[in-house]
């Protein structure tokens, strides 16, 4: 942030610079910086621990600066969730770049689970209350639908007749497994211990038959 110069008073004495909260921001790409700061804080403390003031501080701007791009904390979180869905879409788009439709679905499942494990707090945010109110955030809604479309198109390519049902079943499987793994539900249980990627693939194979 650029520091505001001191202003001379009529009597010749300099007036101290205003505190950070009153300074205008001078930032090359404020929106991107705020989102990156929010993502870092989200990974560290979860959505419940986030405030706009903390995000502004982490981005190195005044606490009023976020309001130039986000009218509320929810608007900022919606934008973070949107970026999460876009990253998930990119991972699944890479996964479907194989000709065999069965392998395509298995790789989509694995990409979904790997994303959740790599970004657990973002994953919780994406599918938490924010998603339930996604109609209030059109960009988030579009990003979420685009992500699911990768699952749907892969399922339809594999089985045109049952594709929709298969997409919902596969999504439910990957989503449920992701949460179980994130929450450590398998720890200490009398189950065969397997690496997440092997478990995800095995369950996907059972679903596909």
């Amino acid at each position: 942030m650029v520091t505001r110069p001191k202003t001379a008073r009529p009597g010749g004495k300099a007036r101290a610079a205003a505190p950070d909260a009153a300074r205008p921001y001078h930032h090359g790409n404020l929106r991107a910086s705020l989102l990156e700061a929010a993502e870092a804080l989200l990974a560290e403390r979860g959505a419940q621990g986030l405030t706009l003031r903390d995000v502004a501080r982490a981005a190195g701007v005044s606490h009023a600066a976020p309001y130039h791009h986000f009218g509320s904390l929810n608007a900022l979180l919606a934008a973070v969730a949107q970026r999460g869905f876009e990253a998930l879409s990119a991972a699944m788009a890479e996964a479907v770049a194989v000709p065999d439709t069965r392998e395509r679905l298995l790789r989509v499942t694995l990409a979904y689970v790997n994303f959740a494990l790599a970004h657990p707090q973002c994953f919780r945010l994406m599918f938490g209350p924010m998603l339930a109110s996604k109609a209030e955030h059109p960009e988030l809604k579009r990003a979420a639908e685009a992500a699911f479309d990768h699952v749907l198109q892969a399922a339809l390519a594999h089985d045109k007749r049952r594709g929709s049902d298969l997409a919902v079943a596969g999504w439910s499987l990957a989503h449920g497994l992701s949460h179980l793994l994130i929450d450590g539900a398998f720890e200490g249980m009398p189950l065969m211990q397997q690496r997440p990627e092997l478990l995800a693939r095995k369950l996907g194979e059972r679903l596909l038959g």
Side-chain angles (χ1 to χ4, degrees):
M1 180 188 299
V2 176
T3 304
R4 178 183 296 172
K6 296 180 180 180
T7 304
R9 293 182 177 177
K13 293 183 179 179
R15 184 176 63 194
D20 285 349
R23 293 176 185 167
Y25 70 88
H26 296 271
H27 213 284
N29 194 340
L30 177 63
R31 189 177 192 277
S33 295
L34 290 169
L35 288 171
E36 289 168 7
E39 287 169 346
L41 290 173
L42 177 69
E44 178 184 321
R45 61 182 74 168
Q48 297 303 315
L50 276 182
T51 68
L52 279 177
R53 186 180 291 269
D54 287 342
V55 172
R57 184 182 300 114
V61 297
S62 74
H63 71 259
Y67 292 97
H68 288 274
H69 291 282
F70 307 102
S72 65
L73 178 60
N74 273 352
L76 174 61
L77 291 176
V80 171
Q82 176 192 333
R83 280 164 57 111
F85 277 113
E86 289 167 353
L88 176 59
S89 283
M92 291 194 292
E94 184 176 346
V96 300
V98 291
D100 184 79
T101 58
R102 187 174 186 274
E103 181 65 21
R104 199 178 296 173
L105 282 170
L106 292 172
R107 292 191 183 193
V108 165
T109 300
L110 181 56
Y112 193 100
V113 173
N114 281 344
F115 175 87
L117 293 178
H119 311 282
Q121 294 296 349
C122 184
F123 184 76
R124 291 186 192 281
L125 172 67
M126 290 159 58
F127 292 99
M130 187 63 64
L131 185 62
S133 61
K134 64 181 181 297
E136 300 172 13
H137 308 285
E139 294 299 324
L140 169 60
K141 182 175 184 293
R142 279 191 285 271
E145 291 171 351
F148 177 70
D149 194 56
H150 285 292
V151 180
L152 179 60
Q153 295 306 317
L156 288 171
H158 183 68
D159 189 329
K160 189 172 183 179
R161 184 176 62 85
R162 298 188 307 119
S164 296
D165 291 341
L166 185 60
V168 172
W171 181 27
S172 300
L173 182 154
H175 191 78
L177 177 60
S178 294
H179 271 294
L180 288 170
L181 290 168
I182 288 173
D183 293 337
F186 296 130
E187 294 177 10
M189 294 186 67
L191 298 171
M192 182 183 298
Q193 297 299 309
Q194 299 182 54
R195 296 199 307 274
E197 61 270 22
L198 294 180
L199 183 57
R201 187 176 183 88
K202 177 175 288 188
L203 292 176
E205 289 172 340
R206 286 183 178 275
L207 175 65
L208 293 173

